Amino acid sequence: MAMILCVEDDVSICELLKCALEAGGNETRCANSAQEFYQILKETKPSLILLDIMLPDESGMDILKKLKADNQYKDLPIIMLTAKSSELDKVQGLESGADDFITKPFGVMELLSRVKAVLRRATPLKNNDTITYKGLVLNTEMREATIDGALINLTYKEYELLHFLLLNIGMALSRDKIIENVWGYDYEGESRTIDMHIKTLRQKIIKASGNNDINIITVRGVGYKLEKIGGQDE
């Protein structure tokens, strides 16, 4: 049974979340403010956090950044709840480490499906191998990625996405294939979420390497692939 911590200042929405999640077989705790959230976090070990962006005492974005900067919580899955639907809000959240977004108002079945998908993908891989490609090293035991020795600070979903691309170097992967393997079969979110994750992953790889030697390219009309520079692996 997963323990879901819901952070939402609207009491009626909190009750809706609690009823829906518990009907889906999850244990649920609710917080109506950042202060209450931090107190509950000290007392529990949530499997996932549903975090509203607009809170009365602290922005959900600020809370997200704090959690992802803390080693104790950096891998904790977080889904942002927002009444906003602009691409900028989502990009900022994904860059800060959010795993997904749910825009209010939302349907109960959509909520349960998105939560289930994120929880399923949050199960760590049991694999002691490393994957190496042109200075890029993915340690699947530590769940860390480095390039030329420099650590790439990835969110959980960015790591999963990079892992899948590395397993399929040179192959053009459709968005449906990426959704199936990284987000899960029953993911019902926007395909735009994939594009935003690709964008932030590209930026982080380039920033860590200082160049664009390793590149995730867009295959028009298909999806994406991790490029084989010069057509051959080293």
Side-chain angles (χ1 to χ4, degrees):
M1 177 186 293
M3 206 292 276
I4 314 296
L5 178 48
C6 304
V7 191
E8 165 63 60
D9 63 330
D10 188 317
V11 176
S12 61
I13 294 179
C14 257
E15 285 300 315
L16 172 63
L17 290 169
K18 184 178 176 64
C19 289
L21 290 167
E22 290 183 350
N26 303 288
E27 181 184 353
T28 309
R29 293 284 301 273
C30 289
N32 302 127
S33 67
Q35 182 178 4
E36 186 178 0
F37 161 71
Y38 289 125
Q39 184 58 45
I40 294 175
L41 192 61
K42 292 178 182 178
E43 303 167 355
T44 62
K45 292 183 178 180
S47 305
L48 180 146
I49 295 175
L50 288 173
L51 179 60
D52 188 26
I53 289 181
M54 304 298 291
L55 295 171
D57 49 349
E58 185 176 0
S59 165
M61 286 292 188
D62 289 338
I63 295 175
L64 172 66
K65 291 175 183 177
K66 287 180 182 178
L67 293 175
K68 293 303 177 179
D70 189 326
N71 287 333
Q72 184 177 356
Y73 301 112
K74 66 179 183 178
D75 293 325
L76 180 60
I78 298 175
I79 298 176
M80 303 301 290
L81 298 174
T82 176
K84 301 178 180 179
S85 58
S86 75
E87 181 176 329
L88 179 60
D89 292 320
K90 293 185 178 181
V91 168
Q92 290 176 340
L94 293 171
E95 288 179 342
S96 299
D99 292 274
D100 200 0
F101 272 80
I102 296 179
T103 303
K104 295 181 283 187
F106 51 83
V108 170
M109 295 307 295
E110 176 193 5
L111 170 72
L112 292 176
S113 179
R114 304 278 278 273
V115 167
K116 181 181 177 181
V118 171
L119 283 172
R120 184 179 59 251
R121 301 306 304 173
T123 303
L125 297 175
K126 302 300 182 181
N127 190 333
N128 295 328
D129 293 336
T130 58
I131 303 172
T132 303
Y133 175 64
K134 291 185 176 293
L136 176 61
V137 178
L138 199 71
N139 186 316
T140 57
E141 180 180 19
M142 299 298 294
R143 296 187 64 80
E144 289 182 348
T146 59
I147 186 163
D148 297 329
L151 181 67
I152 309 174
N153 186 23
L154 301 177
T155 66
Y156 182 88
K157 201 61 68 180
E158 288 166 355
Y159 172 90
E160 290 290 301
L161 180 56
L162 180 58
H163 182 259
F164 185 58
L165 289 169
L166 280 168
L167 291 176
N168 297 277
I169 292 173
M171 293 181 60
L173 302 169
S174 69
R175 286 177 173 81
D176 286 345
K177 193 69 173 179
I178 293 172
I179 287 174
E180 176 183 320
N181 286 272
V182 178
W183 273 263
Y185 289 95
D186 54 359
Y187 177 72
E188 297 179 357
E190 302 172 5
S191 62
R192 188 65 180 151
T193 297
I194 300 169
D195 301 328
M196 288 186 285
H197 273 80
I198 290 285
K199 179 181 178 180
T200 57
L201 181 56
R202 277 181 181 143
Q203 292 171 342
K204 289 181 179 182
I205 290 174
I206 293 171
K207 182 178 180 180
S209 66
N211 60 62
N212 199 22
D213 188 45
I214 297 175
N215 192 23
I216 302 169
I217 65 172
T218 301
V219 182
R220 193 173 298 276
V222 180
Y224 300 98
K225 71 176 179 178
L226 191 61
E227 191 174 32
K228 280 187 174 182
I229 307 298
Q232 292 183 345
D233 294 336
E234 292 180 352

